[in-house]
């Protein structure tokens, strides 16, 4: 187990491209941190620097009390699980799981005991003598996990480990990985572009955008109090509604409608206003007109996609609520409104 700290870490690739801008954060001992962001935002680069697979251009990386910038990956006391499980096809599950230990010269009896232990934890006991080709995708992913677990590392690093699995299996493995990490108490850094994985697995989420940290926070902070329109629109499905509004004498208004809330800060003029679809209600007396174009049935709830004037807007309603396409009125919960600078996208 270990704390991981990044102090002024930066990555410039040999071609001069800066993939990670100067970045500092600390991951606590035993914490599960998810790095999330769109393709190309630098999350794998960051993870690979922690793993020692990518040189750090500038800054200091510590795992525990040790500065590891120049320490070989094999000596960093980490275990990594990748998207492609990279199992040895000619070896049994037992040999695959124990391979790393054997390479380190661990005595055979100790390897056998650790492999049995890991297999029990991962429900792989009955598959120990099979080859990878005789396993399902989820079982292969568990073997890759087993290989990481037997090493008993200070730190787990996961690089999109579930992206090769179908949606149902992903949900199941997500819960298994999280539960296993909890049980072992091992610090974990997990890279994904899937915001559902980030929300459900993380103790804290780090949202990256174009090599820069947009926000670090608990899933609840990130979801309810996004630091920017980028975070608001990246996290949540459907994303937070973001529409043009204005502040006039401390009153927040959408063009042509009554005030929606009182703004405490002393600013005025055009802004971007955000609200989550579930914080809007259909209400015949509601202050805002909403034109519904499409009704999306999702079983537990329904989504109405449409427009406020010319601005796209979505509303989530319960399965019992009645709704139809066309003109209706809505009420926006004032306490759920979030205000952003219309140019920088930063929270006001
Ligand atoms: P994805 O989800 O697509 O894997 P990512 O967020 O993990 O994306 P990285 O792989 O970290 O992104 O890449 C970050 C940026 O650095 C990208 O713009 C990528 O093109 C660039 N990059 C990656 N490797 C190199 C390299 N060896 N040389 C130059 N640029 C690179």
């Amino acid at each position: 187990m270990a704390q991981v700290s990044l102090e002024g870490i930066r990555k410039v690739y040999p071609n001069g491209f800066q993939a990670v801008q100067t970045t500092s954060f600390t991951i606590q001992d035993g914490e599960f941190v998810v790095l999330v962001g769109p393709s190309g935002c630098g999350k794998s680069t960051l993870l690979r620097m922690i793993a020692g697979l990518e040189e750090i251009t500038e800054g200091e990386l510590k795992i525990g009390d040790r500065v590891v910038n120049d320490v070989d990956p094999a000596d960093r006391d980490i275990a990594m699980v990748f998207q492609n499980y990279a199992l040895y096809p000619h070896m049994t599950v037992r040999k695959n799981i124990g391979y790393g230990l054997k390479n380190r010269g661990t005595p055979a009896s100790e390897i056998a005991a650790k492999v049995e232990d890991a297999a029990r934890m991962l429900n792989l006991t009955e598959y120990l003598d099979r080859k990878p080709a005789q396993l399902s995708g989820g079982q292969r992913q568990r073997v890759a996990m087993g290989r990481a677990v037997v090493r008993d590392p200070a730190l787990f690093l996961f690089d999109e480990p579930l992206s090769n699995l179908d949606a149902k299996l992903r949900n199941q493995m997500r819960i298994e990985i999280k539960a296993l990490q909890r049980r072992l108490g091992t610090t974990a850094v997990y890279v994904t572009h899937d915001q559902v994985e980030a929300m459900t697995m993380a103790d804290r989420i780090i949202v990256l955008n174009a090599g820069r940290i947009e926000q670090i926070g608990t899933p609840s902070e990130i979801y309810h109090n996004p630091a920017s329109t980028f975070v608001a629109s990246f996290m949540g499905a459907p994303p937070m509604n973001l529409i043009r509004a204005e502040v006039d004498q401390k009153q927040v208004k959408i063009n042509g409608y009554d005030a929606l809330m009182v703004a405490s800060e002393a600013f005025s003029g055009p802004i971007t206003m955000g609200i989550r679809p579930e914080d809007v209600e259909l209400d015949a007396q509601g202050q805002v007109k909403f034109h519904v174009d499409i009704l999306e049935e999702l079983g537990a709830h329904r989504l109405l996609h449409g427009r406020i004037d010319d601005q796209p807007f979505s509303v989530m309603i319960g399965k019992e609520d009645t709704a139809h396409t066309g003109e209706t009125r809505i009420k926006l919960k004032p306490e759920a409104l979030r205000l952003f600078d219309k140019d920088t996208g930063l929270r006001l």
Side-chain angles (χ1 to χ4, degrees):
M1 285 191 267
Q3 173 178 298
V4 180
S5 71
L6 287 82
E7 192 56 54
I9 293 279
R10 194 162 81 95
K11 175 67 186 181
V12 181
Y13 279 109
N15 67 354
F17 180 74
Q18 178 170 274
V20 175
Q21 299 182 26
T22 307
T23 289
S24 301
F25 59 87
T26 299
I27 299 166
Q28 302 304 330
D29 188 8
E31 197 177 17
F32 197 119
V33 164
V34 175
L35 301 176
V36 70
S39 181
C41 69
K43 49 197 188 299
S44 298
T45 301
L46 207 44
L47 190 81
R48 290 169 60 81
M49 285 195 283
I50 298 174
L53 301 172
E54 203 64 72
E55 202 181 313
I56 296 169
T57 309
E58 201 178 289
E60 188 179 82
L61 171 68
K62 273 189 182 170
I63 299 179
D65 297 329
R66 191 161 65 126
V67 176
V68 294
N69 287 48
D70 298 320
V71 175
D72 257 13
D75 299 324
R76 289 190 183 196
D77 200 8
I78 55 171
M80 201 154 172
V81 181
F82 296 96
Q83 174 176 351
N84 60 352
Y85 335 113
L87 303 180
Y88 297 107
H90 59 287
M91 287 186 196
T92 60
V93 168
R94 187 189 305 279
K95 289 221 161 105
N96 262 292
I97 296 179
Y99 186 72
L101 295 178
K102 185 160 179 247
N103 259 358
R104 284 156 187 253
T106 310
S109 58
E110 196 178 316
I111 297 178
K114 284 190 166 171
V115 170
E116 296 278 346
D117 243 17
R120 230 184 341 267
M121 243 187 278
L122 290 156
N123 282 326
L124 285 171
T125 306
E126 60 187 293
Y127 307 104
L128 278 172
D129 295 312
R130 288 203 197 172
K131 301 260 175 72
Q134 301 163 311
L135 300 176
S136 71
Q139 290 160 347
R140 275 180 226 161
Q141 187 51 264
R142 282 198 211 110
V143 177
M145 280 295 299
R147 215 166 33 182
V149 166
V150 292
R151 300 261 310 277
D152 191 20
L155 177 63
F156 284 134
L157 299 176
F158 297 97
D159 195 355
E160 306 240 11
L162 307 183
S163 23
N164 283 345
L165 306 178
D166 66 48
K168 188 157 175 241
L169 201 48
R170 257 202 324 258
N171 288 350
Q172 184 191 333
M173 288 301 295
R174 200 166 77 197
I175 295 165
E176 286 184 22
I177 291 179
K178 173 83 182 186
L180 187 66
Q181 187 269 348
R182 275 278 171 278
R183 181 144 32 117
L184 300 171
T186 310
T187 314
V189 186
Y190 188 106
V191 160
T192 183
H193 62 269
D194 180 342
Q195 49 97 19
V196 177
E197 273 177 33
M199 287 293 294
T200 52
M201 298 179 88
D203 293 319
R204 275 190 309 157
I205 297 175
I206 299 182
V207 185
L208 288 167
N209 177 22
R212 222 170 35 79
I213 293 181
E214 286 272 337
Q215 188 170 6
I216 303 183
T218 63
S220 169
E221 283 163 358
I222 298 267
Y223 188 81
H224 296 291
N225 286 308
S228 62
T229 48
F230 176 85
V231 177
S233 55
F234 189 74
M235 303 300 283
M240 185 179 268
N241 290 299
L242 294 170
I243 61 173
R244 293 188 305 275
E246 60 179 352
V247 183
D248 181 16
Q249 296 175 355
K250 286 197 166 185
Q251 303 286 313
V252 179
K253 292 178 175 173
I254 305 174
N255 185 28
Y257 293 107
D258 293 344
L260 298 167
M261 71 178 284
V262 177
S264 56
E265 290 88 350
F267 51 81
S268 65
I271 55 157
T272 300
M273 190 188 78
I275 189 161
R276 295 259 173 219
E278 65 271 28
D279 292 322
V280 183
E281 283 167 19
L282 296 182
D283 180 346
Q285 314 302 321
Q287 71 268 61
V288 177
K289 263 195 241 163
F290 175 49
H291 185 94
V292 183
D293 293 321
I294 293 172
L295 209 152
E296 211 180 359
E297 181 64 63
L298 293 169
H301 55 258
R302 275 178 289 166
L303 285 172
L304 310 178
H305 302 288
R307 288 165 280 128
I308 294 177
D309 300 328
D310 62 334
Q311 307 199 67
F313 198 85
S314 298
V315 176
M316 183 184 287
I317 59 170
K319 58 182 187 294
E320 272 97 31
D321 298 333
T322 50
H324 49 82
T325 52
E327 207 70 27
T328 182
R329 293 191 86 88
I330 51 175
K331 195 170 122 202
L332 286 65
K333 288 186 190 160
E335 69 277 13
L337 293 173
R338 301 288 178 262
L339 312 183
F340 303 92
D341 185 295
K342 81 170 184 21
D343 298 319
T344 63
L346 294 177
R347 181 85 180 270
L348 292 170

